[in-house]
Amino acid sequence: MPEHNGSLSALFVELGLIIAGLAVLARLARRYGISAIPLYLLAGLAFGKGGLSPLEVSEQFTRIGSEIGVLLLLFMLGLEYTGEELSRSLKSGIAGGAVDFILNFTPGLVTGLLLHWSTLAAALLGGVTYISSSGIIAKVLGELKRYGNPETPSILSLLVLEDLAMALYLPVVAVLLAGGSPSRMVISVSVALLAVGAVLFMAIRYGQSISAFVSHESDEIVLLTTFGAVLLVAGLAQHVNVSSAIGAFLVGIAISGPIAHQAERLLSPLRDLFAATFFFFFGMEVDPSSLPAVLPLAGLLAVITAGTKILTGYWAAKRAGCDQHAALRGGLTFIARGEFSIVIAGLGITLEPRLGPLAAAYVLLLAIAGPILARVVR
């Protein structure tokens, strides 16, 4: 019993220090007007594998917390959209989505192939460079009060299409990473895509009915219902080789109306806690000694793909009828990479060890540069 008390005490102390430390970093980020994500990554680097003082007692808890963080990030993002908005985005923004994919997936894919990585590892790097950080961009738009700007709908449309692309990309990649015979892989991919399609159909067609079922005047009941639904659907999605994060995203889409605002208010604190844990844990998984070697390449890739994102956002905003100033502002807002890039890199670390350090350095650079550059054009 004393031994159990000692280990429990060590766990609590270590977790307390981690969370208090992350709070200090969040304060610093808020004070200087930058995203806290790169600071969380740096903290993880300092206390992870090869860091200044590796943590061991709380690693398992932090790992689970980081997984919940991904689910809540995607669930809260899904709350921002309704099924009708998704339908409109698919109909009106498909050309912009195609341009976005070609311009931003290609640099990562080509870089991976030039490094003589496998095709799958190169495709993972393409995913890292392709997907913008919805979390960071949404935060920047809110901080700068730009939700009512003329260029913002075109940027949000691109973000929706990127998230939908991930709904197809992640389950396919997960199946390919698992391996197996060609016929088994085809069946697994088909099941994954059918599952995504079925949940998406339910979210669009029966979103209001689902919202009515979840709705309740009691905050406690709504909190338990929504959080339980996120975990349940995410677990079932993972069981059929669909990304659990995409399952959580689709749950968010299915909930609309007043209940969506109530769920957002109740789950935002949990999202912030576990999302910070997610970025911290990813940093822990990267050996800091591996970063100096990849920084030049990460910097070059960051410059190239910052340019392609600016071009994408500018083109989409101009196509929507915005003037040159607003279009440039939209392009600069679109730069940041973050949570999804880290998720994709996390999938491929065992396949290509260099992917983790390269993605960490790349996200670090653009998570810092994105919010700063978004403020250049007012």
Side-chain angles (χ1 to χ4, degrees), residues 79-345:
L79 287 177
E80 298 292 326
Y81 311 112
T82 64
E84 291 77 13
E85 288 172 335
L86 278 176
S87 298
R88 286 198 300 269
S89 294
L90 283 173
K91 292 174 183 177
S92 64
I94 195 70
V99 169
D100 182 21
F101 182 81
I102 292 168
L103 287 181
N104 296 290
F105 184 86
T106 304
L109 177 67
V110 171
T111 299
L113 294 175
L114 290 175
L115 290 172
H116 303 293
W117 292 2
S118 68
T119 303
L120 180 54
L124 285 168
L125 185 56
V128 169
T129 60
Y130 161 60
I131 187 79
S132 295
S133 172
S134 299
I136 295 176
I137 292 170
K139 186 176 181 181
V140 167
L141 290 172
E143 288 175 350
L144 300 179
K145 297 179 173 57
R146 290 184 181 174
Y147 277 114
N149 283 16
E151 76 279 2
T152 298
S154 61
I155 297 302
L156 292 179
S157 177
L158 288 173
L159 290 175
V160 172
L161 288 164
E162 286 188 355
D163 296 330
L164 288 176
M166 286 295 105
L168 301 177
Y169 173 87
L170 288 177
V172 170
V173 166
V175 170
L176 294 175
L177 286 169
S181 64
S183 59
R184 180 183 175 185
M185 292 172 70
V186 168
I187 292 172
S188 298
V189 169
S190 300
V191 169
L193 296 182
L194 283 172
V196 170
V199 176
L200 188 57
F201 173 78
M202 292 285 291
I204 293 174
R205 184 70 180 270
Y206 301 107
Q208 290 185 346
S209 300
I210 294 171
S211 298
F213 173 76
V214 174
S215 181
H216 200 279
E217 61 184 18
S218 168
D219 284 352
E220 179 184 6
I221 291 173
V222 171
L223 173 63
L224 294 174
T225 304
T226 52
F227 190 41
V230 169
L231 295 177
L232 178 62
V233 174
L236 292 173
Q238 193 72 39
H239 186 67
V240 294
N241 290 320
V242 177
S243 165
S244 57
I246 295 304
F249 174 69
L250 293 174
V251 172
I253 291 170
I255 297 176
S256 59
I259 184 63
H261 300 293
Q262 188 180 9
E264 183 176 13
R265 173 174 59 83
L266 294 172
L267 286 168
S268 288
L270 282 178
R271 175 203 58 191
D272 294 339
L273 170 63
F274 288 114
T277 305
F278 166 66
F279 293 114
F280 176 77
F281 181 76
F282 181 84
M284 288 178 64
E285 292 292 285
V286 178
D287 187 342
S289 63
S290 65
L291 289 178
V294 300
L295 267 177
L297 178 58
L300 177 62
L301 202 54
V303 170
I304 292 171
T305 55
T308 54
K309 279 292 181 181
I310 292 171
L311 184 60
T312 302
Y314 180 90
W315 181 84
K318 286 289 286 183
R319 191 167 179 266
C322 297
D323 61 32
Q324 188 171 344
H325 184 82
L328 180 57
R329 189 169 54 209
L332 289 168
T333 304
F334 201 42
I335 292 172
R337 310 302 204 280
E339 58 278 1
F340 253 136
S341 296
I342 298 297
V343 171
I344 294 167

